Amino acid sequence: MTVTATSVDQSDQLQPRRTSGARGGRLLRLVPAAASALCGVLLYVSFPPRPLWWLALPAFAGFGWVLRGRSWKAALGLGYLFGLGFLLPLLVWTSVEVGPLPWLALVAIEAMFVALVGVGVAAVSRLPAWPVWAAAVWTAGEAARARVPFQGFPWGKVAFGQADGVFLPLAAVGGTPVLGFAVVLCGFGLYEAGRLIAERRRNRVVRRAAATAALLSVAVPVVGAVAARALVSDSAEDGTATVALIQGNVPRAGLEFNAQRRAVLDYHARETHKLAADVRAGKVAKPDYVLWPENSSDIDPFEYADAAAVIEEAAKDIGVPISVGSVVERDGKLLNEQILWDPVKGATQTYDKRQIQPFGEYLPLRPLVGAINKNWTEMARQDFGRGTEPGVFDIDGAKVGLATCYEAAFDWAVRDTVTHGAEMISVPSNNATFDRSEMTYQQLAMSRIRAVEHSRTVTVPVTSGVSAVILPDGRITQKTGMFVPAYLVQKVPLRTSTTPATELGILPEIALVLVAAGGIGWAIGSGLRARRAGDA
């Protein structure tokens, strides 16, 4: 009896230990999931307005750790969690006026691209020099996300978080694909180097080829960025131009300002008259031309004489052409248009926005969206049409390229202004809808990347801020606050030379996509061969 009692007691004592061990095992299995989501958050924190660009490196080092050697199912889930951790906070500004549902839907869709990238990274993580293949897979994922669905949404490209970073000069080498590839490669390379060091400390043999590949994954992007500084210059090649940016502000933040379109127009005209008075008083230099933001006149000046009169008076007062952002209707189409308004000749040149924003300027799947929420279809009663020609205004010999707001996120929409002769670039924008969110800072960082990518001055006139002047080396020399009326005047260099990024265009991206495809193909082939050998 004593023996039996003792055995029962021991059994009772062992049972909680097994339960505790099972719980500990389950908790350990949650570590990669939590780490993946936290790495995504870390990548978000590396983006503007925070100058913490370097956090992208540990973010991808951690992402490489959680994915290396995983099955495709595990990698899919871990990649999705990384995408959610990154995109949920990055894109929260999309919910400012329309509520959380569109924001969550957008993030859910965009995170699927990151999930598929996770599968690809896990697959190539077994290959020699895997950080190279894995970084190419990430770039391929960004390329897909920039094109589908609804003509793509490239917001959140890794390159757009590097405006303050050491890798920035690589934008001049191969644009956002090469810049983003270098950052991701360096992050994965840091993890691989750390893993091999840990292997060595455990007295395991580390192959020299693997160690060399890890070292090069970190060193090559850094050395390449240092070497690429030779491509970055802010010197004038075709003289200079004195340019003025007008930020008129809006009556109040939010979508409602569209109901007060005349007030917005009057605000921008008033700030231009103030500039003209300061020029006459000798307080500032007279500009060669003035840039108003997108939607600075939502009243069609070709249709309404009072709007045309307000613009004409402002142009005559300052005595130079004004680029006005307006909404016009022509041939039955609603167009987001930039109009060059001469003080003597009136409207002389126009540019119609080509990359229009889905669910903002046009409504895909209108019947389905209306069934979900009729208010959304009422806010976008008529879809905008698309322009067909690149925007380059010739203003007294100075050629100014135009990429309106959302277009700054798309590589092609900025590049073809330069290939069509632009000596500087303007990105007229309207961020009033998004209140004081981080959206305006994220978009400003894009313009800084574009300045270096194409070696051009970039101006960013915005209705409610932040407006800025960016030199070809990516430096912001002047900027305004948010929701304040202001003007900026500066002499800027005009440049005609082209960078390798401008010349190569889409070719670096195609090359990296092919590298990614080759790596995934190699990984699949190796897996099939290993399976056949196991069956044999």
Side-chain angles (χ1 to χ4, degrees):
M1 293 295 293
T2 304
V3 173
T4 304
T6 303
S7 65
V8 171
D9 291 342
Q10 289 175 342
S11 176
D12 291 343
Q13 291 170 1
L14 289 173
Q15 188 62 39
R17 293 177 185 173
R18 293 194 188 110
T19 304
S20 177
R23 288 175 182 171
R26 285 195 295 269
L27 288 174
L28 285 174
R29 286 194 291 271
L30 292 176
V31 169
S36 191
L38 288 173
C39 286
V41 173
L42 200 63
L43 181 59
Y44 155 70
V45 176
S46 75
F47 271 65
R50 296 158 296 276
L52 303 176
W53 58 270
W54 51 271
L55 286 178
L57 302 181
F60 280 102
F63 194 40
W65 171 70
V66 299
L67 288 178
R68 189 174 186 276
R70 297 283 179 182
S71 69
W72 73 267
K73 290 182 180 179
L76 187 70
L78 292 169
Y80 198 74
L81 288 172
F82 183 88
L84 291 178
F86 172 44
L87 296 171
L88 272 171
L90 185 80
L91 302 179
V92 68
W93 53 266
T94 60
S95 68
V96 170
E97 287 299 328
V98 294
L101 187 58
W103 161 51
L104 295 174
L106 174 63
V107 170
I109 293 170
E110 294 298 309
M112 276 305 304
F113 288 91
V114 185
L116 295 173
V117 166
V119 174
V121 171
V124 301
S125 67
R126 298 176 176 86
L127 300 179
W130 71 267
V132 177
W133 307 105
V137 169
W138 179 272
T139 304
E142 287 191 338
R145 200 159 63 84
R147 289 166 174 81
V148 293
F150 312 126
Q151 296 196 328
F153 187 74
W155 217 279
K157 276 189 169 185
V158 170
F160 294 148
Q162 296 297 308
D164 292 302
V166 299
F167 298 101
L168 177 61
L170 290 171
V173 176
T176 59
V178 167
L179 173 54
F181 171 80
V183 174
V184 179
L185 174 61
C186 194
F188 285 150
L190 283 172
Y191 161 65
E192 179 66 358
R195 188 185 70 83
L196 293 177
I197 291 171
E199 292 271 324
R200 187 76 178 87
R201 286 180 176 176
R202 289 196 295 266
N203 296 320
R204 295 183 181 178
V205 177
V206 174
R207 288 177 299 170
R208 182 174 296 179
T212 302
L215 178 63
L216 290 176
S217 296
V218 177
V220 170
V222 175
V223 173
V226 173
R229 288 181 182 176
L231 299 173
V232 180
S233 172
D234 62 356
S235 63
E237 295 175 331
D238 192 26
T240 61
T242 301
V243 58
L245 282 63
I246 300 297
Q247 178 175 299
N249 202 12
V250 296
R252 60 178 181 262
L255 289 174
E256 295 84 357
F257 88 91
N258 285 313
Q260 303 182 45
R261 298 179 299 169
R262 177 56 191 265
V264 176
L265 171 58
D266 288 344
Y267 282 13
H268 285 82
R270 182 175 63 190
E271 198 64 22
T272 304
H273 288 302
K274 180 182 176 182
L275 168 63
D278 287 347
V279 168
R280 287 190 291 270
K283 296 180 180 179
V284 293
K286 183 177 181 178
D288 296 308
Y289 42 88
V290 177
L291 303 174
W292 284 11
E294 177 189 33
N295 301 131
S296 47
S297 174
D298 271 345
I299 302 176
D300 185 348
F302 299 118
E303 181 70 21
Y304 297 95
D306 61 332
V310 170
I311 297 170
E312 188 169 340
E313 288 173 8
K316 287 182 176 179
D317 193 14
I318 191 64
V320 298
I322 301 176
S323 178
V324 179
S326 186
V327 175
V328 306
E329 190 166 356
R330 185 179 298 116
D331 300 326
K333 292 182 179 180
L334 200 62
L335 300 169
N336 186 335
E337 188 167 83
Q338 288 289 311
I339 307 166
L340 187 64
W341 203 282
D342 187 86
V344 177
K345 302 176 183 177
T348 58
Q349 301 172 56
T350 61
Y351 166 65
D352 299 324
K353 187 177 181 181
R354 295 169 293 163
Q355 186 68 45
I356 57 177
Q357 184 179 354
F359 303 101
E361 292 170 307
Y362 78 101
L363 203 58
L365 310 174
R366 184 177 286 271
L368 176 61
V369 172
I372 297 172
N373 191 325
K374 289 184 179 180
N375 291 333
W376 296 339
T377 56
E378 289 176 0
M379 285 191 295
R381 293 180 180 178
Q382 183 178 353
D383 291 341
F384 278 77
R386 301 176 186 275
T388 57
E389 299 295 329
V392 181
F393 284 170
D394 190 333
I395 311 177
D396 295 331
K399 294 184 177 180
V400 181
L402 297 163
T404 304
C405 196
Y406 185 58
E407 292 183 319
F410 293 83
D411 295 346
W412 64 269
V414 182
R415 175 180 177 266
D416 68 3
T417 67
V418 180
T419 58
H420 282 77
E423 298 169 312
M424 65 165 284
I425 300 167
S426 184
V427 183
S429 303
N430 173 21
N431 298 338
T433 301
F434 306 109
D435 202 14
R436 297 181 181 274
S437 69
E438 294 182 356
M439 182 270 187
T440 189
Y441 299 103
Q442 294 171 10
Q443 192 176 52
L444 185 60
M446 294 178 192
S447 296
R448 294 179 65 189
I449 300 299
R450 300 306 183 192
V452 175
E453 181 179 11
H454 301 293
S455 194
R456 294 293 186 271
T457 296
V458 177
T459 57
V460 187
V462 185
T463 52
S464 56
V466 172
S467 300
V469 178
I470 305 166
L471 292 186
D473 60 4
R475 288 182 296 126
I476 296 176
T477 53
Q478 290 192 67
K479 65 179 181 179
T480 69
M482 293 183 71
F483 292 99
V484 292
Y487 67 75
L488 302 175
V489 179
Q490 185 170 329
K491 181 183 289 187
V492 299
L494 301 177
R495 293 180 59 82
T496 54
S497 63
T498 53
T499 63
T502 308
E503 292 292 332
L504 294 171
I506 197 175
L507 292 180
E509 187 175 55
I510 291 175
L512 289 170
V513 170
L514 291 176
V515 169
I520 292 173
W522 184 6
I524 292 173
S526 298
L528 290 175
R529 286 191 294 271
R531 184 176 298 177
R532 288 169 185 165
D535 292 342

